[in-house]
């Protein structure tokens, strides 16, 4: 590591330590920390990631509505989900590209996943192979299967397709990588429920904030947000922490969101 890299590592580590649990708000990750039960956290994590696009106030507003409907018991709500009774609860909820019908389809799918697989982790691990460099292939097959389950033998809507992007089509898959960060990493912020996946397999969730700051820091040469950009940033962050490069994600993102100086 040269002198310039050492200085950047100092800054990255400083910001990582600064952005601890006391700095969590505003962020959809807040909702996961409402719970202690494994399955409540997992379901809350999926919802928080699926809806994590747009203004953070809008994101948290929608998530508050969903958690209110679930009465603070995501797993119990999902386990007992009855389309005839519960579909109507979401009729007035929309979120940018998602219609109320998309949200209903999502909850029906989550119910079927927990009945058939037992957890989201078990579904994801069907596509995870430890010899692979990172989670690109796993995300690709997971996303395809999630869309198939949600669409339930029908043509998927634009909103449903948007819920689970595909790295094979060039998407940075920010929201899926965010969910995986929450599930795999373990510190004050991330929950670390999925211990089967090592943190070095994660890819950074790239949004406009991450992209802008990482361009400034020369961590990427790519101009447009894409899977290639996410891979490149992750590989460059491994210079500073080979085992856990994505730990810097929250700090970098919130520095951008809060218009702070890096």
């Amino acid at each position: 590591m040269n002198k310039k890299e050492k200085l950047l590592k100092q800054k990255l580590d400083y910001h990582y330590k600064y952005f601890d649990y006391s700095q969590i708000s505003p962020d959809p990750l807040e909702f996961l920390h409402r719970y202690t039960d494994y399955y409540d956290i997992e379901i809350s994590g999926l919802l928080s990631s699926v809806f994590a696009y747009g203004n953070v106030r809008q994101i948290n507003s929608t998530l508050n509505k969903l958690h209110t409907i679930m009465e603070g018991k995501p797993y119990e709500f999902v386990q007992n989900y009855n389309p005839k009774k519960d579909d109507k609860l979401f009729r007035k909820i929309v979120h940018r590209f998602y219609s109320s019908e998309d949200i209903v389809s999502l909850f029906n799918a989550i119910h079927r996943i927990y009945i058939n697989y037992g957890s989201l982790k078990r579904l994801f691990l069907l596509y995870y192979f430890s010899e692979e460099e990172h989670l690109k292939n796993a995300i690709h097959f997971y996303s395809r299967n999630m869309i198939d389950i949600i669409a339930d033998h029908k043509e998927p809507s634009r909103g449903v397709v948007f819920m689970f992007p595909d790295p094979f089509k060039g998407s940075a898959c920010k929201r899926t990588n965010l969910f995986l960060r929450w599930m795999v990493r373990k510190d004050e912020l991330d929950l670390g429920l999925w211990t089967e996946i090592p943190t070095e397999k994660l890819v950074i969730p790239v949004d406009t904030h991450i992209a802008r700051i990482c361009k400034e820091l020369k961590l990427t040469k790519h101009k447009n947000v894409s899977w290639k950009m996410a891979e490149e940033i992750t590989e460059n962050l491994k210079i500073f922490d080979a085992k856990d490069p994505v730990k810097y994600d929250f700090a970098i993102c919130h520095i951008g969101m809060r218009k702070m100086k890096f």
Side-chain angles (χ1 to χ4, degrees):
M1 197 181 300
N2 60 38
K3 185 177 180 181
K4 190 174 180 181
E5 289 170 342
K6 286 180 181 177
L7 288 172
L8 180 52
K9 177 173 171 54
Q10 285 179 353
K11 281 192 173 185
L12 285 167
D13 287 341
Y14 170 80
H15 291 308
Y16 170 70
K17 290 172 184 174
Y18 174 78
F19 282 95
D20 59 12
Y21 185 76
S22 69
Q23 300 293 324
I24 194 171
S25 184
D27 195 277
L29 177 56
E30 294 173 62
F31 291 88
L32 284 68
H33 284 273
R34 292 183 177 185
Y35 307 104
T36 56
D37 178 77
Y38 176 99
Y39 300 104
D40 286 337
I41 294 169
E42 198 179 64
I43 293 164
S44 180
L46 178 68
L47 295 173
S48 287
S49 62
V50 164
F51 288 85
Y53 67 103
N55 181 284
V56 70
R57 289 183 182 178
Q58 183 185 21
I59 294 166
N60 284 358
S61 173
T62 300
L63 290 172
N64 263 319
K65 292 173 185 175
L66 297 180
H67 283 268
T68 298
I69 288 170
M70 295 187 292
E71 298 181 340
K73 299 175 181 178
Y75 183 57
E76 184 179 309
F77 180 82
V78 163
Q79 282 285 94
N80 299 323
Y81 194 88
N82 183 334
K84 291 181 181 178
K85 177 173 64 75
D86 296 324
D87 283 1
K88 63 185 179 183
L89 298 173
F90 302 99
R91 279 181 189 159
K92 293 183 179 179
I93 300 181
V94 295
H95 183 83
R96 300 195 72 200
F97 304 145
Y98 303 155
S99 66
S100 57
E101 290 79 12
D102 293 333
I103 297 170
V104 165
S105 296
L106 174 63
F107 272 90
N108 275 281
I110 297 172
H111 168 74
R112 293 196 300 275
I113 287 166
Y114 277 87
I115 295 299
N116 295 323
Y117 296 93
S119 71
L120 284 161
K121 181 180 78 172
R122 287 180 187 167
L123 175 60
F124 187 86
L125 288 178
L126 292 175
Y127 316 111
Y128 169 68
F129 296 96
S130 59
E131 64 269 21
E132 294 184 349
E133 182 184 359
H134 45 55
L135 299 178
K136 182 179 182 179
N137 287 334
I139 291 171
H140 165 69
F141 289 108
Y142 167 75
S143 292
R144 282 179 57 181
N145 200 12
M146 288 297 287
I147 290 169
D148 287 345
I149 294 169
I150 296 168
D152 196 22
H153 307 295
K154 303 184 188 79
E155 184 70 24
S157 69
R158 176 176 173 241
V160 167
V161 171
F162 186 80
M163 286 180 183
F164 295 94
D166 188 348
F168 283 15
K169 295 180 180 177
S171 172
C173 300
K174 176 245 180 175
R175 287 167 290 117
T176 307
N177 281 323
L178 193 59
F179 175 59
L180 291 167
R181 193 200 92 200
W182 297 337
M183 294 298 104
V184 172
R185 291 196 67 258
K186 176 66 176 175
D187 59 11
E188 282 191 37
L189 295 173
D190 297 331
L191 286 299
L193 301 182
W194 295 7
T195 55
E196 293 84 354
I197 302 174
T199 53
E200 61 261 33
K201 301 285 187 181
L202 295 171
V203 174
I204 193 166
V206 176
D207 60 8
T208 54
H209 302 296
I210 295 287
R212 178 177 61 79
I213 291 175
C214 287
K215 285 178 194 175
E216 292 171 2
L217 297 176
K218 310 296 184 190
L219 293 173
T220 181
K221 295 177 182 177
H222 290 281
K223 293 182 179 179
N224 299 318
V225 174
S226 65
W227 183 265
K228 287 184 178 179
M229 175 185 275
E231 275 189 359
E232 184 181 39
I233 293 170
T234 305
E235 286 306 305
N236 283 325
L237 287 174
K238 285 182 179 179
I239 296 168
F240 312 110
D241 193 324
K243 291 293 184 183
D244 192 12
V246 175
K247 76 180 190 183
Y248 301 113
D249 172 59
F250 186 90
I252 297 171
C253 182
H254 276 260
I255 287 169
M257 282 173 56
R258 303 177 195 194
K259 296 180 170 54
M260 297 166 66
K261 188 175 179 181
F262 184 84

